[in-house]
Each structure stands twice: as structure tokens, then as C-alpha cells.
Amino acid sequence: MNDKQDRPYVCGAPGCSQRFQLEEHLLIHRHKHEMTLKFPPIKTDITFSDQTPTPTRFLQNCEEVGLFKEIEEEFLQAQEEENNKQ
């Protein structure tokens, strides 16, 4: 058998011509193309702000949504239950 008959499912992404035996394999492969980062062209007249999630920004976001308060409440409740057992 030739490759076209053996692998009828072809990736249609620009620059990619991989072939697959099963359609499921092609669908999995397509995710590779969808997960690549696509940035718009950078304009030189607009300042670029770094949006990288640093640990400081991550912790600030946790405080904003109340994650630490929720954890603290659970800890205090567990500590109180432990003290009541003793």
C-alpha cells in the first residue's frame, strides 16, 4: 500500500502535511497547532506591559479572591476540633 492509502487523513495546517491512519490521531495532532501561541504584531508606538504571572502577582490574586482567608478558616476550624478532642 502507498502512504496516501495507508494514511488517508492529512493535516491541513499551513506548512504541515502529516498524514494519519485514523481520524482520531489527526484530531489529536490538530491540538498541537491550536496550542501554539499566536501574538498580534507588536506596534512600536504602544508600550508593552509584561503580563507574566510572577509569584507576587499570583499571591496578590489569591488574596483578592479570598483564597488565603478560606484556607485560614479551615485551619482554625481543624485546630479547634483538635483542641476539643484533647
Side-chain angles (χ1 to χ4, degrees):
M1 271 191 180
N2 67 24
D3 197 40
K4 288 183 180 181
Q5 291 174 334
D6 190 34
R7 298 173 182 260
Y9 300 99
V10 182
C11 179
C16 184
S17 59
Q18 285 190 308
R19 304 179 77 87
F20 300 91
Q21 282 183 317
L22 302 173
E23 187 176 18
E24 293 85 31
H25 293 167
L26 173 60
L27 295 174
I28 292 168
H29 170 78
R30 280 187 189 158
H31 288 309
K32 171 187 159 191
H33 297 294
E34 293 168 0
M35 291 186 343
T36 58
L37 296 175
K38 298 172 186 163
F39 294 107
I42 296 176
K43 297 178 182 176
T44 55
D45 60 334
I46 299 175
T47 57
F48 180 74
S49 64
D50 184 12
Q51 296 296 316
T52 306
T54 63
T56 305
R57 287 185 192 149
F58 175 75
L59 293 174
Q60 287 172 345
N61 289 341
C62 289
E63 287 176 359
E64 286 175 12
V65 296
L67 179 65
F68 294 135
K69 186 164 183 69
E70 189 176 308
I71 293 171
E72 181 183 22
E73 288 172 0
E74 289 179 16
F75 174 77
L76 292 174
Q77 183 180 7
Q79 190 176 28
E80 186 177 319
E81 289 173 3
E82 186 65 31
N83 290 341
N84 289 339
K85 286 181 185 177
Q86 295 175 355

